[in-house]
Amino acid sequence: MKKLSYDLVVIGGGPAGMAAALKARENGVKKILICERGSKLGGILEQCIHNGFGLQYFKEELTGPEYATRFVRKVLQTEIDVKTDTMILEIAEDKKVIAQNGIDGLFEIETKACILAMGCRERTREAITIPGDRPSGVMTAGAAQRYVNINGYLPGKEIVILGSGDIGLIMARRMTFEGANVKCVCEVEPFSSGLVRNKVQCLDDFGIPLYLSHTVTKVHGKERLEGVSIAKVDERKNPIFETETYVPCDTLLLSVGLIPENELSKSVGVDLDRVTKGASVNEKRATNIEWIYACGNVLQVHDLVDNVTEEAEIAGKSAAKYISGGFEKRKRSIHVSPGNNIGYVVPQRIDYTNSDEKIIKLYMRVRKPDEKVFVVVKNEQGEIVGKFKKDTIAPGSMVSLSIPVIKLTEDTSSLTVSVEKEGESI
Amino acid sequence: MEGEWDMKTDVLIIGGGVIGCGIAHQLCKYNFDIMLVEKEADVCMGTSKANSSMLHDGYNVDKTKLKGQLVLKSTKELYQKMAEELHFDLNICGSLLPGFVEADWDAIYHQFQMSAENDIRGVRIVGQKELHELEPHMNPAAKFALFNPNTGVLNPFELTIALGEHAVQNGAKVLLNTEVTGINSSGGRVTSVVTDRGIIEAKVVINAAGLFSDHVAGMVETIDYTVKPRKGVYFLYDKQYGTYIKRAIYSTPTTVSKGLIMLPTTEGNLLCGSNAIMHDEKDDLSTDLESLNHIYAEAIHKYYPELPRMGDVTTIFAGNRAASNTEDFIIGHSKNVRGMINLIGIQSPGLSSVPAIADMVEDLVREVGENLNFGIKDYYNPTRPKPIVLRELSYQERADYIAENPDYGTIICRCETVSKGEILDAIRRPIPATDLDAIKRRTRAGMGRCQGGFCGPRVVGILEKELGISPLEVTKKGKDSYILSMQAKELALQEGGSSNEKVIL
């Protein structure tokens, strides 16, 4: 078995992995290896040929492949080793990573630190246990996106989409461009789960109806999909069967959630957050295992790749600092937890003094949409550490808040983030 | 096909399920021709692919019934020997039938008494403490249980495919996508079988058509039995629950439930099912909300309250048991036509009775196959080579295989760690996998938590190259189950798009 040695192994060559590796390199890490299981760098961006990427990070509107290419070029120009078609089989506790590919065979990498950047997978029809037949023609929106944009084939002509996740909305438009008829999008929640701009640009502009509080109750068709039953759901998301309607279609696309791919992380003992299903991390994006960092969609599912890049740069920079000696720890860690109408907050804890930083950014998702609210961060004493006015909040749009480091005293032990309405305090 | 179709065999088996393949395996050692026809695109497409995957020892069977006698004859030792020779996964994990309340005790004690009557060794009743040591995650309210160390689980796809492949390696022919439409006889003797691809002459015809066995038997003579599908729905949980349950757990029969099972599959998932719904459509494998809710409430949640209703579910599926109106196996010669052997109503414990059923069928074949040469073939090999499954090997062994063939180094299915080499092997094996589900059953590519979302497009690409077909011809499971409907742009440019009719609610 071949043995290699690196300072840093980055698992995943998508936007998170590339940005993390570049930042680590910029901060002095010499021997870096990116392992990518696909056949080239870029990750899922390769198939995201629509625009809207890079507005924050590059202040330009790019397509997915364009956004990825900017990083791929840089990686290739930098002394960073890349192995594609390479699968990581195991991360071992003694800082070893076992990988395999067709060229090197099965090999072991000794490393000083590791950054997890494996991205996420789509929730399936099976996972949400939609009953009915099991014909072909039922697939996740991302799989359909790959067939259309990379392979150049159309999965079907008459489409129903379940779930208003961003990929589902993007695919509604994409399939329409291809001449297919997207008959409707059903969303089990009473609100759209994707970005507002995607709803407008991908559904409204093409007259595709979005039915909120509706779900697919049954899949019909023994060989190829022939139709689906859809029905309204009650407040507890149970189908109201009197409202059930049969819709003939040959394709059902699912965009019902993304799940960070953390099987590898779990196997080495990385603690996961029950809500994000990603690692529980500190402000440096270090997991409970000090030499393992996480960033991008494997840590929390992002709406915007720009945020992925930003987060990956934190992880890359931090891993570099860890390799070269580490940070100054706080006397006590600060636990960051979600309060009223907040689903989760990343990072989950603050471990270091951060004396060289001015702010710490907290990322979160709300549970329910609301308008004209304040997102308030309080410490264990109930003192306000930050208060931010938001005109609208929705689960589909990640919220980020900048907390001044100066507001975190030696004694601060916890922060709670809550949504508050004007005039009321919770 | 016409013109080159000149088919002739000594023994023709109808149906490529575990029974048909088991009979082919049994007979392939002898010096006569065997052909197996299967209407689907692969073997193991009916009852054999969707069942509890349990190996029963028959501890509670009724010995007066044929199915009771056959399952008792098919000992776990026979299965263990078969697993060694043919290489399929078998785990004699034992089973528990737990009880919660006083009323459960009678049922459990009755089962215990039956095990004694059936001469099954090792069955005993365990108390609360031992029960929870055996199954630490079980609902603490379970108070006692019947423990049977002989129960096992096996991989029914592997078993069926292994039996079929072994037969092919020893000279049998398997014709897939070949549906029997009639059977000819002359002078009270079967002469040939009519299929949708042509006529096959045969001396002996064995009807192992499972759910459709009554239909096939009826092609020869009037019959006085029927086979009705009895559907069972299952949950298959994510591999993170692969060791959550260590043994097969039976639920105690109640007024609302006939008895459900939860068990660790040989592949490391957790399987829970199944109910029993009599219906009329033999190819209806749809799941329904009522069944799912029932199984979750009566079995999963009752015994393992921490298991979720959805989310960590890898898939749900249904299977149809081939239940005869006699509720027993009916195995024997046709009444009026010599050379026709029928196997009717092979439902549970059919998977656990394969060796005895095959023995019995061999005897029947000997009775009507006067001209067959029962000498052993000189090239007969009792073992089937073990397919390469990299994830089961040590790192060093994997490294060696990859060094020999780099395709074993390229992982296609990330969830189940299946390499391109293993997928190519599946396509090139004696019974070739030619669709996504066939590859899934052989390699597990697409059987994991993403359900083929990632590897599906890549497996389509491999099938396209290896079979020299268009991606438009690649199917999920044969026939009309195409994955892709046309090339991109064709619809918009050539056909001007489809209708623009939206769903208005």
Side-chain angles (χ1 to χ4, degrees), chain A residues 37 90 100-102 105 121 124 126-127 129 131-134 136 147 152-154 156-157 178-183 209 211 214 222-224 241 247 261 263, chain B residues 281 283 286-287 309-311 313-315 317 395 406 408-409 411 414 449 477 480-483 485-489 491-492 497-499 501-505:
Chain A
R37 58 190 160 192
E90 186 189 340
Q100 75 168 63
N101 64 34
R121 66 169 173 269
T124 63
E126 290 80 4
T129 66
D133 297 313
R134 298 167 79 200
S136 65
Y147 280 126
Y153 286 89
L154 210 55
K157 304 176 192 179
E178 285 292 339
N181 177 19
V182 179
K183 295 182 139 185
Y211 293 114
H214 276 75
K222 290 192 172 74
E223 293 164 18
R224 175 72 192 195
F241 285 101
V247 179
E261 287 240 271
E263 281 66 32
Chain B
E281 239 191 290
D283 57 356
S286 62
T287 52
R309 168 67 176 75
M310 54 178 75
V313 176
T314 299
T315 194
F317 64 90
Y395 286 152
Y408 289 126
I411 297 296
R414 54 168 86 165
R449 39 183 80 93
K477 47 184 174 181
D480 205 27
S481 64
Y482 62 91
I483 309 286
S485 73
M486 53 176 55
Q487 282 197 19
K489 304 288 173 286
L491 183 60
S498 47
S499 86
E501 203 179 308
K502 305 300 179 196
V503 173
I504 306 299
L505 295 179

Coordinates of all heavy atoms in Angstrom, one line a residue, chain A residues 37 90 100-102 105 121 124 126-127 129 131-134 136 147 152-154 156-157 178-183 209 211 214 222-224 241 247 261 263, chain B residues 281 283 286-287 309-311 313-315 317 395 406 408-409 411 414 449 477 480-483 485-489 491-492 497-499 501-505:
Chain A
R37 N -13.9 13.1 -5.3 CA -14.4 11.8 -5.8 C -14.9 11.9 -7.2 O -14.9 10.9 -7.9 CB -15.4 11.2 -4.8 CG -16.6 12.1 -4.6 CD -17.5 11.6 -3.5 NE -18.3 12.7 -3.0 CZ -19.0 12.7 -1.9 NH1 -19.0 11.6 -1.1 NH2 -19.7 13.7 -1.5
E90 N -11.6 6.1 4.7 CA -11.6 6.2 6.2 C -10.7 7.4 6.6 O -9.7 7.7 6.0 CB -11.0 4.9 6.7 CG -11.0 4.7 8.2 CD -10.2 3.5 8.7 OE1 -9.9 2.6 8.0 OE2 -9.8 3.6 9.9
Q100 N -8.6 5.7 -2.1 CA -8.3 4.9 -3.3 C -8.7 5.6 -4.6 O -9.6 6.4 -4.6 CB -9.0 3.5 -3.1 CG -10.5 3.6 -3.4 CD -11.1 2.2 -3.6 OE1 -11.1 1.4 -2.6 NE2 -11.6 1.9 -4.7
N101 N -8.0 5.2 -5.6 CA -8.3 5.6 -6.9 C -7.7 4.6 -7.9 O -7.0 3.7 -7.5 CB -7.9 7.1 -7.3 CG -6.4 7.3 -7.2 OD1 -5.7 6.4 -7.6 ND2 -6.0 8.4 -6.8
G102 N -8.0 4.8 -9.2 CA -7.5 3.8 -10.1 C -6.0 3.9 -10.4 O -5.4 3.0 -10.9
G105 N -4.1 3.4 -6.7 CA -4.5 2.2 -5.9 C -5.1 2.6 -4.6 O -5.6 3.7 -4.5
R121 N -26.0 15.7 0.1 CA -26.8 14.9 -0.9 C -28.2 15.3 -0.8 O -28.6 15.9 0.2 CB -26.6 13.4 -0.6 CG -27.2 12.9 0.7 CD -27.3 11.4 0.8 NE -27.7 11.1 2.2 CZ -26.9 10.9 3.2 NH1 -25.6 10.9 3.0 NH2 -27.4 10.6 4.4
T124 N -34.3 11.9 -0.6 CA -35.0 11.1 -1.6 C -36.4 10.9 -1.4 O -37.0 11.1 -0.3 CB -34.3 9.7 -1.7 OG1 -34.6 9.0 -0.5 CG2 -32.8 9.8 -2.0
E126 N -37.7 8.0 -1.2 CA -37.7 6.9 -0.3 C -37.6 7.3 1.1 O -38.3 6.8 2.0 CB -36.6 5.9 -0.7 CG -36.7 5.2 -2.0 CD -36.4 6.0 -3.2 OE1 -35.9 7.1 -3.1 OE2 -36.6 5.5 -4.3
A127 N -36.7 8.3 1.4 CA -36.5 8.8 2.7 C -37.7 9.4 3.3 O -38.0 9.3 4.5 CB -35.3 9.7 2.8
T129 N -40.6 8.5 2.4 CA -41.6 7.4 2.4 C -42.9 7.8 1.6 O -44.0 7.6 2.2 CB -41.9 6.8 3.8 OG1 -42.6 7.8 4.6 CG2 -40.6 6.4 4.5
P131 N -45.6 6.8 -0.6 CA -46.1 5.5 -1.0 C -46.3 5.4 -2.5 O -46.3 6.4 -3.2 CB -47.4 5.3 -0.2 CG -47.5 6.5 0.6 CD -46.6 7.5 0.1
G132 N -46.6 4.2 -3.0 CA -47.0 4.0 -4.3 C -46.0 3.0 -5.0 O -45.3 2.2 -4.4
D133 N -46.0 3.0 -6.4 CA -45.2 2.1 -7.2 C -43.8 2.7 -7.2 O -43.5 3.8 -6.7 CB -45.7 2.1 -8.6 CG -47.1 1.5 -8.7 OD1 -47.3 0.4 -8.1 OD2 -48.0 2.1 -9.4
R134 N -42.9 1.9 -7.7 CA -41.5 2.3 -7.8 C -41.0 2.3 -9.3 O -40.1 1.6 -9.7 CB -40.6 1.4 -7.0 CG -41.0 1.4 -5.5 CD -40.3 0.3 -4.8 NE -38.9 0.5 -4.5 CZ -38.0 -0.5 -4.2 NH1 -38.4 -1.7 -4.2 NH2 -36.8 -0.2 -3.9
S136 N -39.5 4.0 -13.0 CA -38.5 4.9 -13.4 C -39.2 6.3 -13.6 O -40.4 6.3 -13.7 CB -37.7 4.5 -14.6 OG -38.6 4.5 -15.7
Y147 N -28.3 14.9 -15.6 CA -28.7 14.3 -16.9 C -28.8 15.3 -18.0 O -28.4 15.2 -19.1 CB -30.0 13.5 -16.8 CG -29.9 12.1 -16.2 CD1 -30.7 11.8 -15.1 CD2 -29.0 11.2 -16.7 CE1 -30.6 10.5 -14.5 CE2 -29.0 9.9 -16.2 CZ -29.7 9.6 -15.1 OH -29.6 8.3 -14.5
G152 N -26.6 15.6 -21.3 CA -27.3 16.1 -22.5 C -28.6 15.3 -22.8 O -28.9 15.1 -24.0
Y153 N -29.2 14.7 -21.8 CA -30.5 14.0 -22.0 C -31.6 14.5 -21.1 O -31.3 15.0 -20.0 CB -30.3 12.5 -21.8 CG -29.5 11.8 -22.9 CD1 -28.1 11.8 -22.8 CD2 -30.1 11.3 -24.0 CE1 -27.3 11.2 -23.9 CE2 -29.4 10.7 -25.0 CZ -28.0 10.7 -24.9 OH -27.3 10.1 -26.0
L154 N -32.8 14.4 -21.6 CA -33.9 14.8 -20.9 C -34.6 13.7 -20.2 O -34.9 12.7 -20.8 CB -34.9 15.4 -21.9 CG -35.8 16.6 -21.5 CD1 -35.0 17.7 -21.0 CD2 -36.6 17.0 -22.8
G156 N -37.6 13.5 -19.0 CA -39.0 13.3 -19.3 C -39.6 14.6 -19.9 O -38.9 15.6 -20.0
K157 N -40.9 14.5 -20.2 CA -41.6 15.7 -20.8 C -42.6 16.4 -20.0 O -42.9 17.5 -20.2 CB -42.3 15.2 -22.1 CG -41.3 14.5 -23.1 CD -42.1 14.0 -24.3 CE -41.3 13.0 -25.1 NZ -42.0 12.5 -26.2
E178 N -36.1 23.4 -22.0 CA -35.9 22.2 -22.8 C -37.2 21.8 -23.6 O -37.2 20.8 -24.3 CB -35.3 21.1 -22.0 CG -33.9 21.2 -21.6 CD -32.9 21.1 -22.8 OE1 -33.3 20.5 -23.8 OE2 -31.8 21.6 -22.7
G179 N -38.2 22.5 -23.3 CA -39.5 22.2 -24.0 C -40.4 21.3 -23.2 O -41.5 21.0 -23.7
A180 N -40.0 20.9 -22.0 CA -40.8 20.1 -21.2 C -41.9 20.9 -20.5 O -41.8 22.1 -20.4 CB -40.0 19.4 -20.1
N181 N -43.0 20.3 -20.1 CA -44.1 21.0 -19.4 C -44.0 20.7 -17.9 O -44.3 19.6 -17.5 CB -45.4 20.6 -20.0 CG -46.6 21.2 -19.3 OD1 -46.4 22.3 -18.6 ND2 -47.8 20.7 -19.4
V182 N -43.6 21.8 -17.2 CA -43.6 21.6 -15.7 C -45.0 22.0 -15.2 O -45.4 23.1 -15.3 CB -42.5 22.5 -15.1 CG1 -42.5 22.3 -13.5 CG2 -41.1 22.1 -15.6
K183 N -45.7 21.0 -14.8 CA -47.1 21.2 -14.5 C -47.4 21.9 -13.2 O -48.4 22.6 -13.1 CB -47.9 19.8 -14.5 CG -47.8 19.1 -15.9 CD -48.6 17.8 -15.9 CE -49.4 17.7 -17.1 NZ -50.2 16.5 -17.1
P209 N -47.3 27.0 -11.6 CA -48.0 27.2 -10.3 C -47.2 26.5 -9.1 O -46.6 25.4 -9.3 CB -49.3 26.5 -10.4 CG -49.3 25.7 -11.6 CD -48.1 26.1 -12.4
Y211 N -47.9 25.2 -5.4 CA -48.9 24.9 -4.4 C -48.3 24.6 -3.1 O -47.7 23.6 -2.9 CB -49.8 23.8 -4.9 CG -50.6 24.1 -6.2 CD1 -50.4 23.5 -7.4 CD2 -51.6 25.1 -6.1 CE1 -51.1 23.9 -8.5 CE2 -52.3 25.5 -7.2 CZ -52.0 24.9 -8.4 OH -52.7 25.3 -9.5
H214 N -49.0 21.5 0.0 CA -49.5 20.4 -0.9 C -48.3 19.3 -1.0 O -47.2 19.7 -0.9 CB -49.8 20.8 -2.3 CG -51.2 21.3 -2.4 ND1 -51.6 22.6 -1.9 CD2 -52.3 20.8 -2.9 CE1 -52.9 22.8 -2.1 NE2 -53.4 21.7 -2.7
K222 N -46.2 1.2 -13.2 CA -45.4 0.0 -12.8 C -44.0 0.1 -13.4 O -43.0 -0.4 -12.8 CB -46.1 -1.2 -13.3 CG -47.4 -1.4 -12.4 CD -48.0 -2.8 -12.6 CE -49.1 -3.0 -11.5 NZ -50.3 -2.2 -11.8
E223 N -43.9 0.5 -14.7 CA -42.6 0.5 -15.3 C -42.0 2.0 -15.3 O -41.1 2.3 -14.6 CB -42.7 -0.1 -16.7 CG -43.0 -1.5 -16.6 CD -43.5 -2.1 -17.9 OE1 -43.3 -1.5 -19.0 OE2 -44.1 -3.2 -17.9
R224 N -42.7 2.8 -16.1 CA -42.3 4.2 -16.1 C -43.4 5.0 -15.4 O -44.6 4.6 -15.4 CB -42.2 4.7 -17.6 CG -42.0 6.2 -17.7 CD -40.5 6.6 -17.4 NE -40.4 8.1 -17.3 CZ -39.2 8.7 -17.2 NH1 -38.1 8.0 -17.3 NH2 -39.2 10.0 -17.1
F241 N -57.2 13.7 2.4 CA -57.4 12.9 1.3 C -58.6 13.3 0.4 O -58.7 13.0 -0.8 CB -57.5 11.4 1.7 CG -56.1 10.9 2.0 CD1 -55.7 10.8 3.3 CD2 -55.2 10.6 1.0 CE1 -54.4 10.3 3.6 CE2 -53.9 10.1 1.2 CZ -53.5 10.0 2.5
V247 N -52.6 13.6 -11.1 CA -51.9 14.4 -12.2 C -51.1 13.4 -13.0 O -50.1 12.9 -12.6 CB -51.0 15.5 -11.5 CG1 -50.3 16.3 -12.6 CG2 -51.8 16.3 -10.6
E261 N -23.2 15.3 3.9 CA -22.8 13.9 3.8 C -21.7 13.6 4.8 O -20.5 13.7 4.6 CB -22.1 13.7 2.4 CG -23.1 13.6 1.3 CD -23.0 12.3 0.6 OE1 -22.3 12.2 -0.4 OE2 -23.8 11.4 1.0
E263 N -21.1 10.7 6.8 CA -20.9 9.3 7.2 C -19.4 9.1 7.5 O -19.1 8.5 8.5 CB -21.3 8.3 6.1 CG -22.8 8.1 6.1 CD -23.7 9.3 5.7 OE1 -23.2 10.1 4.9 OE2 -24.8 9.4 6.2
Chain B
E281 N -54.2 -8.1 -8.0 CA -53.3 -7.7 -9.1 C -51.9 -8.2 -8.8 O -51.2 -7.7 -7.9 CB -53.3 -6.2 -9.2 CG -53.7 -5.7 -10.5 CD -53.4 -4.2 -10.7 OE1 -54.1 -3.4 -10.0 OE2 -52.5 -3.9 -11.5
D283 N -49.1 -8.1 -10.3 CA -47.9 -7.3 -10.4 C -48.0 -5.9 -9.8 O -47.3 -5.0 -10.0 CB -47.6 -7.1 -11.9 CG -48.7 -6.5 -12.7 OD1 -49.8 -6.3 -12.1 OD2 -48.6 -6.3 -13.9
S286 N -47.2 -1.8 -5.2 CA -47.3 -0.5 -4.6 C -47.4 -0.5 -3.1 O -48.0 -1.4 -2.5 CB -48.4 0.3 -5.2 OG -49.7 -0.3 -4.8
T287 N -46.7 0.4 -2.5 CA -46.9 0.6 -1.0 C -48.0 1.6 -0.7 O -48.4 2.3 -1.6 CB -45.6 1.2 -0.4 OG1 -45.2 2.3 -1.1 CG2 -44.4 0.2 -0.5
R309 N -40.0 7.6 11.8 CA -41.0 7.1 10.8 C -40.5 7.4 9.4 O -40.8 6.7 8.5 CB -42.3 7.9 11.1 CG -43.4 7.8 10.0 CD -44.0 6.5 9.8 NE -45.1 6.5 8.8 CZ -44.9 6.6 7.5 NH1 -43.6 6.6 7.0 NH2 -45.9 6.6 6.7
M310 N -39.7 8.5 9.3 CA -39.1 8.7 8.0 C -37.8 9.5 8.2 O -37.4 9.8 9.3 CB -40.0 9.5 7.1 CG -40.6 10.8 7.6 SD -41.6 11.7 6.5 CE -43.1 10.8 6.5
G311 N -37.0 9.7 7.1 CA -35.8 10.4 7.3 C -34.6 9.5 7.1 O -33.9 9.5 6.1
V313 N -34.9 6.4 6.6 CA -35.4 5.3 5.9 C -34.7 5.3 4.5 O -34.7 6.3 3.8 CB -36.9 5.4 5.7 CG1 -37.4 4.3 4.8 CG2 -37.6 5.4 7.0
T314 N -34.0 4.2 4.2 CA -33.4 4.1 2.9 C -34.4 3.9 1.8 O -34.3 4.5 0.7 CB -32.3 2.9 2.9 OG1 -31.4 3.2 3.9 CG2 -31.7 2.8 1.5
T315 N -35.3 3.0 2.0 CA -36.4 2.8 1.0 C -37.6 2.1 1.7 O -37.5 1.6 2.8 CB -36.0 2.0 -0.2 OG1 -37.0 2.2 -1.2 CG2 -35.8 0.6 0.1
F317 N -40.7 -0.7 0.3 CA -41.1 -1.5 -0.8 C -42.1 -2.5 -0.4 O -42.5 -2.7 0.8 CB -39.9 -2.2 -1.4 CG -39.2 -3.2 -0.4 CD1 -39.6 -4.5 -0.4 CD2 -38.2 -2.8 0.4 CE1 -39.0 -5.5 0.4 CE2 -37.6 -3.7 1.3 CZ -38.0 -5.0 1.3
Y395 N -7.8 -3.8 3.4 CA -7.2 -2.8 2.5 C -6.1 -3.4 1.6 O -6.0 -3.0 0.4 CB -6.6 -1.7 3.4 CG -7.6 -0.8 4.0 CD1 -7.4 -0.1 5.2 CD2 -8.8 -0.5 3.4 CE1 -8.3 0.7 5.8 CE2 -9.8 0.3 3.9 CZ -9.5 0.9 5.2 OH -10.5 1.8 5.7
P406 N -7.3 -1.3 -12.6 CA -7.6 0.0 -12.0 C -9.1 0.4 -11.9 O -9.5 1.2 -11.1 CB -6.9 1.0 -13.0 CG -6.0 0.1 -13.8 CD -6.5 -1.3 -13.8
Y408 N -11.2 -1.2 -10.4 CA -11.6 -1.5 -9.0 C -11.3 -0.3 -8.1 O -11.7 -0.2 -7.0 CB -11.0 -2.7 -8.5 CG -11.5 -4.0 -9.1 CD1 -10.7 -5.0 -9.7 CD2 -12.9 -4.3 -9.1 CE1 -11.2 -6.1 -10.2 CE2 -13.4 -5.5 -9.6 CZ -12.5 -6.4 -10.2 OH -13.0 -7.5 -10.7
G409 N -10.5 0.6 -8.7 CA -10.1 1.8 -7.9 C -11.0 2.9 -8.0 O -11.1 3.8 -7.1
I411 N -14.4 4.6 -7.6 CA -15.7 4.3 -6.9 C -16.8 5.1 -7.7 O -16.7 6.3 -7.9 CB -15.6 4.9 -5.5 CG1 -14.6 4.1 -4.7 CG2 -17.0 4.8 -4.8 CD1 -14.9 2.6 -4.5
R414 N -20.9 6.1 -4.2 CA -20.2 6.5 -3.0 C -20.9 6.0 -1.7 O -20.2 5.8 -0.7 CB -20.2 8.1 -3.0 CG -21.5 8.7 -3.1 CD -21.5 10.2 -2.8 NE -21.1 11.0 -4.0 CZ -21.3 12.3 -4.1 NH1 -21.7 12.9 -3.1 NH2 -20.9 12.9 -5.2
R449 N -28.1 5.3 0.7 CA -28.9 6.4 1.1 C -29.3 7.4 0.1 O -30.3 8.1 0.2 CB -28.3 7.0 2.4 CG -26.8 7.2 2.3 CD -26.3 7.8 3.7 NE -26.2 6.8 4.7 CZ -25.1 6.1 5.0 NH1 -24.0 6.3 4.3 NH2 -25.1 5.2 5.9
K477 N -35.6 -1.3 -14.9 CA -35.9 -2.7 -14.6 C -36.5 -3.3 -15.9 O -37.5 -4.1 -15.7 CB -36.8 -2.9 -13.4 CG -38.0 -1.9 -13.4 CD -38.8 -2.1 -12.1 CE -39.8 -1.0 -12.0 NZ -40.6 -1.1 -10.8
D480 N -40.6 -1.0 -20.2 CA -40.8 0.4 -20.5 C -40.2 1.3 -19.4 O -40.6 2.4 -19.3 CB -42.3 0.6 -20.7 CG -42.5 1.8 -21.6 OD1 -41.7 2.1 -22.4 OD2 -43.6 2.4 -21.4
S481 N -39.3 0.8 -18.6 CA -38.9 1.6 -17.5 C -37.7 2.4 -17.8 O -36.7 2.4 -17.1 CB -38.6 0.7 -16.3 OG -37.5 -0.2 -16.6
Y482 N -37.7 3.1 -19.0 CA -36.6 3.9 -19.4 C -36.3 5.0 -18.5 O -37.2 5.5 -17.7 CB -36.9 4.5 -20.8 CG -38.1 5.4 -20.9 CD1 -38.0 6.8 -20.7 CD2 -39.4 4.9 -21.1 CE1 -39.1 7.6 -20.7 CE2 -40.5 5.7 -21.1 CZ -40.4 7.1 -20.9 OH -41.4 7.9 -20.8
I483 N -35.1 5.4 -18.5 CA -34.6 6.5 -17.5 C -34.7 7.9 -18.2 O -35.1 8.8 -17.6 CB -33.1 6.3 -17.1 CG1 -32.9 4.8 -16.6 CG2 -32.7 7.3 -16.1 CD1 -33.5 4.5 -15.3
S485 N -35.8 10.2 -21.7 CA -36.8 10.1 -22.7 C -36.3 10.6 -24.1 O -36.8 10.2 -25.1 CB -38.1 10.8 -22.3 OG -37.9 12.2 -22.4
M486 N -35.3 11.5 -24.1 CA -34.8 12.0 -25.4 C -33.6 12.8 -25.1 O -33.2 13.2 -24.0 CB -35.8 12.8 -26.2 CG -36.4 13.9 -25.4 SD -37.6 14.9 -26.4 CE -38.6 13.6 -26.9
Q487 N -32.9 13.1 -26.3 CA -31.7 14.0 -26.1 C -32.2 15.4 -25.8 O -33.2 15.9 -26.2 CB -30.9 14.0 -27.4 CG -30.1 12.8 -27.6 CD -29.0 12.9 -28.6 OE1 -28.6 14.0 -29.0 NE2 -28.5 11.8 -29.1
A488 N -31.3 16.1 -25.1 CA -31.6 17.5 -24.8 C -31.8 18.3 -26.1 O -31.1 17.9 -27.1 CB -30.5 18.1 -23.9
K489 N -32.6 19.3 -26.1 CA -32.9 20.2 -27.2 C -33.9 19.5 -28.2 O -34.5 20.2 -29.0 CB -31.6 20.6 -28.0 CG -30.6 21.3 -27.1 CD -31.1 22.7 -26.8 CE -30.1 23.3 -25.8 NZ -30.2 22.7 -24.4
L491 N -36.7 18.0 -27.8 CA -38.1 18.3 -27.6 C -38.4 19.8 -28.0 O -39.4 20.1 -28.6 CB -38.4 18.1 -26.1 CG -39.8 18.3 -25.6 CD1 -40.8 17.4 -26.4 CD2 -40.0 18.0 -24.1
A492 N -37.5 20.7 -27.5 CA -37.7 22.1 -27.8 C -37.6 22.4 -29.3 O -38.4 23.1 -29.8 CB -36.7 22.9 -27.0
G497 N -41.7 21.4 -28.3 CA -42.1 21.4 -26.9 C -43.3 20.6 -26.7 O -44.1 20.3 -27.6
S498 N -43.6 20.3 -25.4 CA -44.8 19.6 -25.1 C -45.9 20.7 -24.8 O -45.7 21.9 -24.9 CB -44.6 18.7 -23.9 OG -43.9 19.4 -22.9
S499 N -47.1 20.2 -24.4 CA -48.2 21.1 -24.1 C -47.8 22.0 -22.9 O -46.8 21.7 -22.2 CB -49.4 20.4 -23.8 OG -49.4 20.1 -22.4
E501 N -49.9 22.9 -20.5 CA -51.0 22.8 -19.6 C -50.6 22.6 -18.2 O -49.8 21.7 -17.8 CB -51.9 21.6 -20.0 CG -53.3 21.6 -19.6 CD -54.1 20.4 -20.1 OE1 -54.0 20.1 -21.3 OE2 -54.7 19.7 -19.2
K502 N -51.0 23.5 -17.3 CA -50.6 23.5 -15.9 C -51.6 22.8 -15.1 O -52.8 22.7 -15.5 CB -50.3 24.9 -15.4 CG -49.3 25.7 -16.2 CD -47.9 25.0 -16.3 CE -46.9 25.8 -17.1 NZ -45.7 25.0 -17.5
V503 N -51.3 22.4 -13.9 CA -52.2 21.8 -12.9 C -52.9 23.0 -12.2 O -52.2 23.8 -11.6 CB -51.6 20.9 -11.9 CG1 -52.5 20.5 -10.8 CG2 -51.0 19.7 -12.6
I504 N -54.2 23.1 -12.4 CA -54.9 24.2 -11.7 C -55.7 23.6 -10.5 O -56.6 22.8 -10.8 CB -55.8 25.0 -12.7 CG1 -55.0 25.5 -13.9 CG2 -56.5 26.2 -12.0 CD1 -53.9 26.4 -13.6
L505 N -55.4 24.0 -9.3 CA -56.1 23.5 -8.2 C -57.1 24.5 -7.7 O -56.9 25.7 -7.8 CB -55.2 23.1 -7.1 CG -54.2 22.0 -7.4 CD1 -53.3 21.7 -6.2 CD2 -55.0 20.7 -7.7

